[in-house]
């Protein structure tokens, strides 16, 4: 699975071995006051953490963008007490006191979706696990619940208003190939004379799709594969 779109501010290893086994990811909110007359974005957070000589693996903001601060997949960031070198961290530009209604505003909802996409990537690529609701609940936790992964922080973020149900839905959707522009589908059409057969495969062709194509080819059909994006309305 490819990671979400991101830009890079690589600080390099923090002196901690970051190549061990990943045990999960921690969801943070930075709690940093915005610059006067502006909204904070991930670049503010990156500058702040860089000035402190710290880092977090990835920072997401309401614009839907994200910045990685360490080499992709490196676990050496000191973002949660007791979990340095063990867990990936996803920082968001927000506050733990935000109610759910605030998180559901368009820009902030987009930030939740970006963070969820990173969580899906962590499960699939760093932990080799399927992106399911069960695994998301077990291995992707808030900073306030990091004890579930063996941490010992006393933080309260991302807060009681954080939309975890939406977060998990977005993570699963990202893993299934849905992007902002819609759902990825493969339409396979096999023709031979006047006979026509067709199948649709979501996300990727996979073994089933390739096997079907090979079967039709052996039967003498001409096979055409078309990849398309089906636009979907966002869920309320």
């Amino acid at each position: 699975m490819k990671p979400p779109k991101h830009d890079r501010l690589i600080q390099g290893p923090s002196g901690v071995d970051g190549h061990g086994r990943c045990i999960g990811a921690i969801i943070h909110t930075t709690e940093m006051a915005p610059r006067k007359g502006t909204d904070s974005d991930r670049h503010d957070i990156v500058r702040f953490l860089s000035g402190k000589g710290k880092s977090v693996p990835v920072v997401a903001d309401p614009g839907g963008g994200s910045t990685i601060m360490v080499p992709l997949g490196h676990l050496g960031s000191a973002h949660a007490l007791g979990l340095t070198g063990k867990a990936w961290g996803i920082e968001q530009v927000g506050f733990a006191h935000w109610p759910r209604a605030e998180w559901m505003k368009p820009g902030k909802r987009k930030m939740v979706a970006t963070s969820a996409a990173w969580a899906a990537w962590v499960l699939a690529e760093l932990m080799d696990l399927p992106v399911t609701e069960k695994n998301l609940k077990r291995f992707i936790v808030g900073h306030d619940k990091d004890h579930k992964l063996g941490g010992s922080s006393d933080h309260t973020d991302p807060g009681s208003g954080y939309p975890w149900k939406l977060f998990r839905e977005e993570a699963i959707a990202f893993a299934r190939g849905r992007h902002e522009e819609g759902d990825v589908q493969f339409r396979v059409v096999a023709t031979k004379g006047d006979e026509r057969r067709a199948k649709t495969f979501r996300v990727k062709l996979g073994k089933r799709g390739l096997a079907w194509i090979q079967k039709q080819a052996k039967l003498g059909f001409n096979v055409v594969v078309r990849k398309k994006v089906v636009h979907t309305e966002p869920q309320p």
Side-chain angles (χ1 to χ4, degrees):
M1 180 189 298
K2 291 184 178 180
K5 292 180 181 179
H6 60 277
D7 53 35
R8 297 169 180 248
L9 187 146
I10 303 295
Q11 290 191 315
S14 61
V16 176
D17 181 10
H19 299 94
R21 182 177 65 89
C22 180
I23 64 171
I26 309 298
I27 307 302
H28 301 265
T29 53
T30 303
E31 302 284 330
M32 193 179 88
R35 293 168 291 166
K36 187 176 182 180
T38 67
D39 291 326
S40 286
D41 62 17
R42 67 185 186 280
H43 304 293
D44 289 329
I45 306 305
V46 167
R47 282 191 292 269
F48 172 75
L49 292 174
S50 297
K52 296 287 185 179
K54 299 180 179 179
S55 64
V56 70
V58 64
V59 183
D61 71 9
S66 56
T67 297
I68 59 171
M69 296 187 69
V70 296
L72 198 61
H74 194 274
L75 302 173
S77 299
H79 60 91
L81 192 62
L83 292 172
T84 302
K86 299 178 181 178
W88 187 260
I90 302 167
E91 194 84 48
Q92 298 169 112
V93 182
F95 294 87
H97 66 256
W98 279 354
R100 185 177 184 278
E102 186 69 26
W103 283 107
M104 296 300 284
K105 290 181 178 179
K108 282 134 191 177
R109 181 172 177 146
K110 196 171 185 179
M111 177 167 62
V112 172
T114 300
S115 301
W118 278 106
W121 177 82
V122 168
L123 284 176
E125 296 299 319
L126 301 188
M127 302 181 70
D128 197 26
L129 291 173
V131 183
T132 63
E133 184 172 3
K134 180 179 179 180
N135 285 336
L136 286 162
K137 286 182 176 180
R138 180 177 178 184
F139 298 110
I140 312 298
V141 301
H143 202 180
D144 56 343
K145 303 290 185 184
D146 68 5
H147 60 274
K148 291 184 176 181
L149 297 181
S152 53
S153 301
D154 58 358
H155 291 253
T156 60
D157 56 314
S160 60
Y162 193 72
W164 283 107
K165 184 174 184 292
L166 172 66
F167 177 93
R168 288 188 283 268
E169 288 173 350
E170 291 288 352
I172 292 170
F174 181 83
R176 290 178 177 172
R178 194 185 80 189
H179 304 284
E180 288 177 15
E181 65 270 23
D183 289 333
V184 177
Q185 293 186 358
F186 290 87
R187 181 69 171 170
V188 184
V189 179
T191 57
K192 184 172 65 172
D194 295 331
E195 191 174 354
R196 183 179 185 275
R197 301 174 181 180
K199 274 187 175 292
T200 299
F201 299 89
R202 291 191 59 197
V203 183
K204 61 181 180 180
L205 287 171
K207 292 181 179 178
R208 286 180 59 246
L210 293 174
W212 192 83
I213 291 172
Q214 291 170 357
K215 180 179 179 180
Q216 305 314 310
K218 287 180 179 179
L219 292 173
F221 284 82
N222 294 316
V223 181
V224 176
V225 180
R226 297 186 178 92
K227 180 181 178 181
K228 64 178 180 177
V229 174
V230 178
H231 294 269
T232 55
E233 294 296 326
Q235 296 298 314

